[in-house]
Amino acid sequence: MVYDADGREEETDIVFLSEFVEPEDVMFMRRNGGGLICTTVTDQLAEKMGLPFLVDVFKAAGSEYPILKNSLPSSLPYDTKSAFSLTINHRKCYTGITDNDRAMTISEFGKLMKELDSGQSQASAMDSFTTSFRIPGHLFLLRTSRDILKDRFGHTELSTALCIMAELTPSATICEMMGDDGNALSRNMAREFARARGLQFLEGKEIVEVWKEWCE
Amino acid sequence: MVYDADGREEETDIVFLSEFVEPEDVMFMRRNGGGLICTTVTDQLAEKMGLPFLVDVFKAAGSEYPILKNSLPSSLPYDTKSAFSLTINHRKCYTGITDNDRAMTISEFGKLMKELDSGQSQASAMDSFTTSFRIPGHLFLLRTSRDILKDRFGHTELSTALCIMAELTPSATICEMMGDDGNALSRNMAREFARARGLQFLEGKEIVEVWKEWCE
C-alpha cells in the first residue's frame, strides 16, 4: 500500500503487480479500496505502442467536438497533469466488469508489457495491443510522466517505480482506499489496515528517496 | 435494482436518480455493487450539449493516434454499441474519487440535466457543462441510444426510461452488482438482496413492456 504525500492527494492506494493479478485481487481492491481500479504503463512503453494520454486524444478531437476543448482542466488541484490514458477491455471479456474479466484484462496487459519491455519492435507493439484489447473498456490505463518521479509524484509513478526497482514488469495495478466518512481513508487508518493484514505500507517520500539512489 | 435480460449482460445494476445522489449512496454502490459507477444522459440532452460517445471521439482522433482506430470493437459480445461517453469530475472536486467528490459530480450533473430538460438553449447548454465539469474525470457518463428501448436494451436505457416514466429528471446513476465467485451477482441472489432490504427489483422485459404502453 502506498500513501502519496501530505499536501498532494493524501490518498493510500492498494498496489498489485499487474502481470499476476487474479480475480480475488480485483475483489480485494473493490472491497477494501473502493476507488477506480487502474493499471499503469511507463511513458516509454506507451510511446512504443502509440498509446496517448486521454487529454491529448481530447485535444486531437477538439475541432470536431468543441465540448472537449472547453472541458479540459486548466489545472488540477493536486498536480500538473492527469495520468489517464485509454480505458480498455481484453477482447475475450464478456461485459468487462466482472472480477474474472477485469483480472484477465489486467494480467494480459501486464504480460504484454513484459514482452514489450524485453525488446519487441515498435511496429509490432501497436499490433499486439490492438489484437488483444478493445476500447472503450472498464479498466483505466494510467501513463507515467516521462521521467518517473522527477516532476510528478503520483501513485502512477510511485507504484511503477516500485516495479522497476524490484526488476519486475513495469506495470502496477492500483486502487484508492476510501473511508467511511465520504473522504479518502486517512493515512493512519490505512497504516493500521496494512499492519493488521501483514501488508507493507510505504509513503511516497520513502520511495522517492530510494528511487533517487537507484537511478544514480 | 434492474436486471437486464437473459442472453444479454445478465447483470443487475443498482439504480439511483442522479440529482439526489448523496455520498452514502456512492458508498452503497461501491460496497454492494462493486462495478463502475456511471451516470446516464439521454441522447437528446447529450446532443444539446454536444456531448459525444467515446467511440466517436476515438474515431475523430484516429488519424492522429492510429491505435484508436485499430482498437475499436468491431462488435460487442452483448450489444451493437458501447454507451460510454466522457468521464467527468465536477470542477470543485479535489481528487474526484472520494464518495463526497463523486456524489457532488453526480448530483450536480443531475441538476444540470434538470435545467437543460426544462428548455435551456443549445448555445448555453455546452457552456453550462464546461463551466461545471472537467475531463477526464472519475465518473463515467453513459449516453442512451436515440430511441430509448427501441434498438438497445441496456441498463443505460432501462434506468433512464424509469426516470422518464416517473416524470423525474432523465438521468440515472447505476452500478453493476458483482458476486463472490468472479462473475456478476446472479439474478436470484440480486433478487434476494432486494427482498431483504425492501428494494424494488425489476427485469428489463417488465420495463420495456410498460415503456411501450407509455410511449403510445
Side-chain angles (χ1 to χ4, degrees), chain B residues 154-172:
Chain B
H155 290 99
T156 307
E157 289 77 19
L158 293 167
S159 61
T160 308
L162 286 177
C163 300
I164 293 171
M165 289 188 283
E167 298 184 352
L168 298 167
T169 303
S171 173

PDB file of all heavy atoms in Angstrom, chain B residues 154-172:
ATOM      1  N   GLY B 154     -30.035  -1.821 -22.878  1.00  0.00           N
ATOM      2  CA  GLY B 154     -29.049  -1.894 -21.806  1.00  0.00           C
ATOM      3  C   GLY B 154     -29.528  -1.186 -20.552  1.00  0.00           C
ATOM      4  O   GLY B 154     -30.567  -0.530 -20.539  1.00  0.00           O
ATOM      5  N   HIS B 155     -28.720  -1.309 -19.483  1.00  0.00           N
ATOM      6  CA  HIS B 155     -29.049  -0.619 -18.235  1.00  0.00           C
ATOM      7  C   HIS B 155     -29.120   0.892 -18.445  1.00  0.00           C
ATOM      8  O   HIS B 155     -29.858   1.585 -17.737  1.00  0.00           O
ATOM      9  CB  HIS B 155     -28.023  -0.958 -17.161  1.00  0.00           C
ATOM     10  CG  HIS B 155     -28.120  -2.368 -16.674  1.00  0.00           C
ATOM     11  ND1 HIS B 155     -27.289  -3.359 -17.132  1.00  0.00           N
ATOM     12  CD2 HIS B 155     -28.970  -2.952 -15.797  1.00  0.00           C
ATOM     13  CE1 HIS B 155     -27.624  -4.499 -16.534  1.00  0.00           C
ATOM     14  NE2 HIS B 155     -28.631  -4.283 -15.716  1.00  0.00           N
ATOM     15  N   THR B 156     -28.334   1.402 -19.389  1.00  0.00           N
ATOM     16  CA  THR B 156     -28.373   2.836 -19.683  1.00  0.00           C
ATOM     17  C   THR B 156     -29.790   3.246 -20.066  1.00  0.00           C
ATOM     18  O   THR B 156     -30.339   4.227 -19.531  1.00  0.00           O
ATOM     19  CB  THR B 156     -27.408   3.156 -20.853  1.00  0.00           C
ATOM     20  OG1 THR B 156     -26.119   2.622 -20.535  1.00  0.00           O
ATOM     21  CG2 THR B 156     -27.310   4.641 -21.107  1.00  0.00           C
ATOM     22  N   GLU B 157     -30.387   2.495 -21.000  1.00  0.00           N
ATOM     23  CA  GLU B 157     -31.726   2.833 -21.488  1.00  0.00           C
ATOM     24  C   GLU B 157     -32.807   2.451 -20.457  1.00  0.00           C
ATOM     25  O   GLU B 157     -33.770   3.202 -20.243  1.00  0.00           O
ATOM     26  CB  GLU B 157     -32.006   2.110 -22.814  1.00  0.00           C
ATOM     27  CG  GLU B 157     -31.209   2.649 -24.010  1.00  0.00           C
ATOM     28  CD  GLU B 157     -29.757   2.189 -24.038  1.00  0.00           C
ATOM     29  OE1 GLU B 157     -29.441   1.179 -23.371  1.00  0.00           O
ATOM     30  OE2 GLU B 157     -28.927   2.843 -24.701  1.00  0.00           O
ATOM     31  N   LEU B 158     -32.657   1.297 -19.827  1.00  0.00           N
ATOM     32  CA  LEU B 158     -33.676   0.834 -18.876  1.00  0.00           C
ATOM     33  C   LEU B 158     -33.815   1.803 -17.701  1.00  0.00           C
ATOM     34  O   LEU B 158     -34.925   2.178 -17.301  1.00  0.00           O
ATOM     35  CB  LEU B 158     -33.321  -0.569 -18.360  1.00  0.00           C
ATOM     36  CG  LEU B 158     -33.382  -1.698 -19.400  1.00  0.00           C
ATOM     37  CD1 LEU B 158     -32.711  -2.963 -18.857  1.00  0.00           C
ATOM     38  CD2 LEU B 158     -34.828  -1.994 -19.809  1.00  0.00           C
ATOM     39  N   SER B 159     -32.674   2.219 -17.135  1.00  0.00           N
ATOM     40  CA  SER B 159     -32.726   3.091 -15.955  1.00  0.00           C
ATOM     41  C   SER B 159     -33.216   4.492 -16.332  1.00  0.00           C
ATOM     42  O   SER B 159     -33.953   5.124 -15.564  1.00  0.00           O
ATOM     43  CB  SER B 159     -31.348   3.155 -15.289  1.00  0.00           C
ATOM     44  OG  SER B 159     -30.385   3.693 -16.171  1.00  0.00           O
ATOM     45  N   THR B 160     -32.826   4.965 -17.501  1.00  0.00           N
ATOM     46  CA  THR B 160     -33.262   6.297 -17.929  1.00  0.00           C
ATOM     47  C   THR B 160     -34.754   6.294 -18.235  1.00  0.00           C
ATOM     48  O   THR B 160     -35.463   7.272 -17.929  1.00  0.00           O
ATOM     49  CB  THR B 160     -32.445   6.757 -19.155  1.00  0.00           C
ATOM     50  OG1 THR B 160     -31.058   6.618 -18.847  1.00  0.00           O
ATOM     51  CG2 THR B 160     -32.739   8.204 -19.512  1.00  0.00           C
ATOM     52  N   ALA B 161     -35.247   5.203 -18.804  1.00  0.00           N
ATOM     53  CA  ALA B 161     -36.684   5.082 -19.084  1.00  0.00           C
ATOM     54  C   ALA B 161     -37.494   5.151 -17.787  1.00  0.00           C
ATOM     55  O   ALA B 161     -38.563   5.766 -17.738  1.00  0.00           O
ATOM     56  CB  ALA B 161     -36.971   3.779 -19.827  1.00  0.00           C
ATOM     57  N   LEU B 162     -36.963   4.545 -16.723  1.00  0.00           N
ATOM     58  CA  LEU B 162     -37.647   4.610 -15.426  1.00  0.00           C
ATOM     59  C   LEU B 162     -37.794   6.060 -14.951  1.00  0.00           C
ATOM     60  O   LEU B 162     -38.851   6.477 -14.486  1.00  0.00           O
ATOM     61  CB  LEU B 162     -36.882   3.805 -14.367  1.00  0.00           C
ATOM     62  CG  LEU B 162     -36.970   2.286 -14.446  1.00  0.00           C
ATOM     63  CD1 LEU B 162     -36.091   1.662 -13.358  1.00  0.00           C
ATOM     64  CD2 LEU B 162     -38.413   1.816 -14.287  1.00  0.00           C
ATOM     65  N   CYS B 163     -36.704   6.840 -15.088  1.00  0.00           N
ATOM     66  CA  CYS B 163     -36.741   8.257 -14.686  1.00  0.00           C
ATOM     67  C   CYS B 163     -37.794   9.006 -15.491  1.00  0.00           C
ATOM     68  O   CYS B 163     -38.571   9.797 -14.943  1.00  0.00           O
ATOM     69  CB  CYS B 163     -35.388   8.931 -14.930  1.00  0.00           C
ATOM     70  SG  CYS B 163     -34.015   8.208 -14.040  1.00  0.00           S
ATOM     71  N   ILE B 164     -37.816   8.763 -16.797  1.00  0.00           N
ATOM     72  CA  ILE B 164     -38.736   9.491 -17.686  1.00  0.00           C
ATOM     73  C   ILE B 164     -40.181   9.143 -17.349  1.00  0.00           C
ATOM     74  O   ILE B 164     -41.028  10.035 -17.224  1.00  0.00           O
ATOM     75  CB  ILE B 164     -38.411   9.171 -19.162  1.00  0.00           C
ATOM     76  CG1 ILE B 164     -37.031   9.748 -19.535  1.00  0.00           C
ATOM     77  CG2 ILE B 164     -39.498   9.715 -20.099  1.00  0.00           C
ATOM     78  CD1 ILE B 164     -36.505   9.322 -20.890  1.00  0.00           C
ATOM     79  N   MET B 165     -40.454   7.855 -17.171  1.00  0.00           N
ATOM     80  CA  MET B 165     -41.834   7.449 -16.891  1.00  0.00           C
ATOM     81  C   MET B 165     -42.307   7.967 -15.530  1.00  0.00           C
ATOM     82  O   MET B 165     -43.492   8.238 -15.338  1.00  0.00           O
ATOM     83  CB  MET B 165     -41.977   5.928 -16.964  1.00  0.00           C
ATOM     84  CG  MET B 165     -41.877   5.411 -18.400  1.00  0.00           C
ATOM     85  SD  MET B 165     -42.287   3.652 -18.523  1.00  0.00           S
ATOM     86  CE  MET B 165     -40.788   2.884 -17.896  1.00  0.00           C
ATOM     87  N   ALA B 166     -41.355   8.144 -14.604  1.00  0.00           N
ATOM     88  CA  ALA B 166     -41.719   8.678 -13.283  1.00  0.00           C
ATOM     89  C   ALA B 166     -41.773  10.202 -13.299  1.00  0.00           C
ATOM     90  O   ALA B 166     -41.995  10.833 -12.260  1.00  0.00           O
ATOM     91  CB  ALA B 166     -40.717   8.198 -12.237  1.00  0.00           C
ATOM     92  N   GLU B 167     -41.578  10.784 -14.488  1.00  0.00           N
ATOM     93  CA  GLU B 167     -41.567  12.241 -14.670  1.00  0.00           C
ATOM     94  C   GLU B 167     -40.547  12.914 -13.764  1.00  0.00           C
ATOM     95  O   GLU B 167     -40.791  13.975 -13.176  1.00  0.00           O
ATOM     96  CB  GLU B 167     -42.979  12.818 -14.476  1.00  0.00           C
ATOM     97  CG  GLU B 167     -43.936  12.237 -15.522  1.00  0.00           C
ATOM     98  CD  GLU B 167     -45.339  12.813 -15.464  1.00  0.00           C
ATOM     99  OE1 GLU B 167     -45.644  13.571 -14.519  1.00  0.00           O
ATOM    100  OE2 GLU B 167     -46.129  12.509 -16.374  1.00  0.00           O
ATOM    101  N   LEU B 168     -39.356  12.286 -13.682  1.00  0.00           N
ATOM    102  CA  LEU B 168     -38.231  12.836 -12.934  1.00  0.00           C
ATOM    103  C   LEU B 168     -37.166  13.278 -13.938  1.00  0.00           C
ATOM    104  O   LEU B 168     -37.285  13.014 -15.133  1.00  0.00           O
ATOM    105  CB  LEU B 168     -37.673  11.768 -11.994  1.00  0.00           C
ATOM    106  CG  LEU B 168     -38.658  11.261 -10.934  1.00  0.00           C
ATOM    107  CD1 LEU B 168     -38.131   9.996 -10.264  1.00  0.00           C
ATOM    108  CD2 LEU B 168     -38.909  12.353  -9.902  1.00  0.00           C
ATOM    109  N   THR B 169     -36.136  13.950 -13.445  1.00  0.00           N
ATOM    110  CA  THR B 169     -35.039  14.341 -14.330  1.00  0.00           C
ATOM    111  C   THR B 169     -34.460  13.090 -14.997  1.00  0.00           C
ATOM    112  O   THR B 169     -34.150  12.118 -14.293  1.00  0.00           O
ATOM    113  CB  THR B 169     -33.935  15.059 -13.518  1.00  0.00           C
ATOM    114  OG1 THR B 169     -34.527  16.181 -12.851  1.00  0.00           O
ATOM    115  CG2 THR B 169     -32.826  15.535 -14.419  1.00  0.00           C
ATOM    116  N   PRO B 170     -34.300  13.105 -16.313  1.00  0.00           N
ATOM    117  CA  PRO B 170     -33.906  11.874 -17.022  1.00  0.00           C
ATOM    118  C   PRO B 170     -32.419  11.556 -16.932  1.00  0.00           C
ATOM    119  O   PRO B 170     -31.724  11.492 -17.944  1.00  0.00           O
ATOM    120  CB  PRO B 170     -34.336  12.167 -18.457  1.00  0.00           C
ATOM    121  CG  PRO B 170     -34.180  13.644 -18.593  1.00  0.00           C
ATOM    122  CD  PRO B 170     -34.543  14.217 -17.243  1.00  0.00           C
ATOM    123  N   SER B 171     -31.938  11.328 -15.711  1.00  0.00           N
ATOM    124  CA  SER B 171     -30.553  10.875 -15.541  1.00  0.00           C
ATOM    125  C   SER B 171     -30.490   9.951 -14.334  1.00  0.00           C
ATOM    126  O   SER B 171     -30.806  10.357 -13.207  1.00  0.00           O
ATOM    127  CB  SER B 171     -29.611  12.064 -15.336  1.00  0.00           C
ATOM    128  OG  SER B 171     -28.313  11.591 -15.008  1.00  0.00           O
ATOM    129  N   ALA B 172     -30.061   8.720 -14.586  1.00  0.00           N
ATOM    130  CA  ALA B 172     -29.905   7.729 -13.518  1.00  0.00           C
ATOM    131  C   ALA B 172     -28.422   7.480 -13.275  1.00  0.00           C
ATOM    132  O   ALA B 172     -27.599   7.705 -14.164  1.00  0.00           O
ATOM    133  CB  ALA B 172     -30.584   6.423 -13.922  1.00  0.00           C
TER     134      ALA B 172
END
